[in-house]
Amino acid sequence: MIKVDHLYKSFGNNEVLSDISLEINKGDVVAIIGPSGSGKSTLLRCINLLEVPSKGKIYIDNDDITTLNQRNVIKIREKVGMVFQHFHLFPHKTAIDNLTYAPIKVKQNSKDEAHRKAIELLKRVGLSDKADSYPSRLSGGQKQRVAIARALAMDPQYLLFDEPTSALDPEMVKEVLDVMMSLAKQGMTMAVVTHEMGFAKMVADKVIFMDHGQILEVAPPNEFFSHPETDRAKEFLEKVL
Ligand code: ADP
Ligand code: MG
């Protein structure tokens, strides 16, 4: 499981995460919601060590990842996959090469094995026919599905999604949410920063509401959406629902 324990993060004098504690159990889907600038991305990036926390601890399967050396940081990134708003695919590689690159380089998978697995994963996200396409020839929804498949190619234990559908045209949102939903059903442990309240309601086991670098509410979605406790959450929900 992932355990964040009294985490703080500042950029210069700007404290953007302030005393964050949370737990994500195996198999759980946690939706992280809140206004822009509340620290959601920074929180995910700390969990993946893309940002170095200023204070506090993050445990992944009981390993304190805030004290790791570089080699172990790479191990954590294998374990904790990340999907970004803007895909971050390798533009000069085909879809399938995007999927095989890290398994070959980092996990020392054989080319054959990486290739076989990549084909399987592209099929799983409905993109068997796009294996040889470059990202520039794919729609936003297709790019994001390749990005999800690429994350899965590393056999992660946890997947972090940072607004995976926010950069998509509306008609492409569903195809990406459908893939995420099927991952959730298969038991993947996921933390999802999202403005898709329908997804949070339907799929999340727990909603975390953040504002100004703090967690204001943690609740099951039916509770959170029907009875938000704080005025901030009420205001936020009035704007987005
Ligand atoms: P959210 O994802 O909820 O919109 P972010 O985590 O991106 O919020 O940002 C929280 C705050 O941290 C914002 O005020 C943002 O300007 C600041 N911030 C984020 N990343 C950096 C950075 N690399 N350097 C300086 N400030 C940053
Ligand atoms: Mg963000």
Side-chain angles (χ1 to χ4, degrees), residues 161-189:
F161 293 83
D162 192 359
E163 296 198 34
T165 59
S166 294
L168 302 179
D169 291 334
E171 75 269 23
M172 289 166 191
V173 169
K174 185 173 179 298
E175 64 194 56
V176 171
L177 292 181
D178 283 348
V179 167
M180 293 169 61
M181 223 173 276
S182 79
L183 284 175
K185 278 206 190 104
Q186 288 155 27
M188 177 60 78
T189 310

Side-chain angles (χ1 to χ4, degrees), residues 1-65:
M1 71 181 249
I2 296 177
K3 185 172 157 113
V4 175
D5 192 20
H6 298 291
L7 185 77
Y8 290 78
K9 173 67 182 176
S10 297
F11 293 106
N13 289 331
N14 187 15
E15 187 172 273
V16 304
L17 293 179
S18 155
D19 201 16
I20 298 281
S21 295
L22 62 88
E23 285 178 11
I24 303 174
N25 292 313
K26 274 264 147 158
D28 269 4
V29 177
V30 173
I32 302 171
I33 67 177
S36 174
S38 56
K40 306 179 300 294
S41 295
T42 305
L43 173 59
L44 282 196
R45 293 170 63 81
C46 283
I47 293 173
N48 205 19
L49 291 179
L50 291 171
E51 300 288 354
V52 179
S54 308
K55 206 167 87 181
K57 301 280 183 200
I58 300 171
Y59 301 92
I60 295 188
D61 299 339
N62 295 321
D63 293 328
D64 175 6
I65 66 166

Side-chain angles (χ1 to χ4, degrees), residues 184-203:
K185 278 206 190 104
Q186 288 155 27
M188 177 60 78
T189 310
M190 304 170 24
V192 185
V193 172
T194 186
H195 295 296
E196 292 292 331
M197 298 302 142
F199 177 83
K201 265 185 205 167
M202 205 152 37
V203 182

Side-chain angles (χ1 to χ4, degrees), residues 12 93 183 204 221 233-234:
K93 289 186 191 296
L183 284 175
K234 281 177 203 158

